[in-house]
Amino acid sequence: PDDSKKGSFQVYDSGCRGLVFIGIRHEIDPVPFVHRVMDLMRTTEEPPKVKWPRETVIERIVPVQRTCAATVAKLVDTIKPMIEEHLSEQKEPTTWGIVTHHRNNPEINRKTVIDSVAALVPAKHPVNLSNPAVTVIIEVIKSTICITLTPDFQLLSKYNPSVYLQPPKADQTE
């Protein structure tokens, strides 16, 4: 069948209740795509470019750049070139942090995942878990690991649309 007539998106069953994957049929980087979607949701233009309900059942919209089998060896093989691209080539020290989530996989140890990824990051880059310049997101879901390296994770409310869409709090110092 002709895939060009099926639309731009494909829905995949994750095998976990309440978790949906939406694949993009075009060769684009999902990080800037999701950043743009989040920004369009927040726009104050009238009429808004994207209508997004203020009360939503979507907890997160996480871009996924790479996937691999849920083993530490496969994770290291998959994430090593990503870290080299995002951090090893940086001349100046860049803060970074790791965010991990596990669903339906008791075999992968969270500490082992964090230690394995941290060992790949050059020592000149300091860890900052509260507001890193680059966040490594590792989602272990059943037999798959989803990997993303992204800037602005905290700025985009950890990709949580409900929190991101709340009006900014007034500065208390004024």
Side-chain angles (χ1 to χ4, degrees):
D2 184 10
D3 283 345
S4 65
K5 295 180 182 177
K6 291 184 179 180
S8 297
F9 301 99
Q10 171 72 41
V11 178
Y12 297 96
D13 180 15
S14 69
C16 292
R17 296 176 95 192
L19 183 64
V20 177
F21 287 104
I22 299 175
I24 303 171
R25 294 181 193 258
H26 306 284
E27 290 294 321
I28 63 170
D29 187 345
V31 172
F33 177 81
V34 171
H35 284 213
R36 180 73 173 133
V37 169
M38 298 284 283
D39 287 340
L40 286 172
M41 284 187 243
R42 191 181 236 182
T43 186
T44 58
E45 294 178 17
E46 288 298 328
K49 290 181 181 176
V50 174
K51 292 184 179 184
W52 190 266
R54 295 294 176 199
E55 300 296 324
T56 182
V57 295
I58 296 176
E59 184 177 327
R60 302 231 187 277
I61 302 174
V62 180
V64 175
Q65 293 174 308
R66 302 277 186 279
T67 60
C68 65
T71 67
V72 174
K74 290 287 187 182
L75 170 64
V76 168
D77 289 344
T78 305
I79 202 167
K80 188 174 183 177
M82 295 174 72
I83 289 174
E84 288 173 359
E85 178 184 340
H86 285 84
L87 291 170
S88 294
E89 295 176 3
Q90 298 278 340
K91 290 185 176 37
E92 296 296 319
T94 303
T95 60
W96 67 280
I98 299 176
V99 173
T100 63
H101 296 110
H102 287 72
R103 292 177 188 89
N104 297 4
N105 185 321
E107 297 167 13
I108 299 271
N109 180 299
R110 181 178 183 271
K111 183 171 177 11
T112 303
V113 166
I114 291 171
D115 291 345
S116 299
V117 172
L120 300 173
V121 178
K124 70 179 179 180
H125 300 296
V127 174
N128 180 341
L129 299 178
S130 61
N131 192 19
V134 176
T135 302
V136 179
I137 303 171
I138 299 173
E139 300 270 350
V140 181
I141 304 163
K142 292 185 118 182
S143 62
T144 304
I145 297 179
C146 302
I147 307 165
T148 306
L149 271 69
T150 180
D152 303 329
F153 183 66
Q154 300 294 337
L155 183 66
L156 292 172
S157 303
K158 301 178 182 179
Y159 294 118
N160 183 329
S162 297
V163 173
Y164 186 68
L165 292 175
Q166 291 177 358
K169 293 179 181 174
D171 191 2
Q172 302 293 335
T173 60
E174 292 181 20

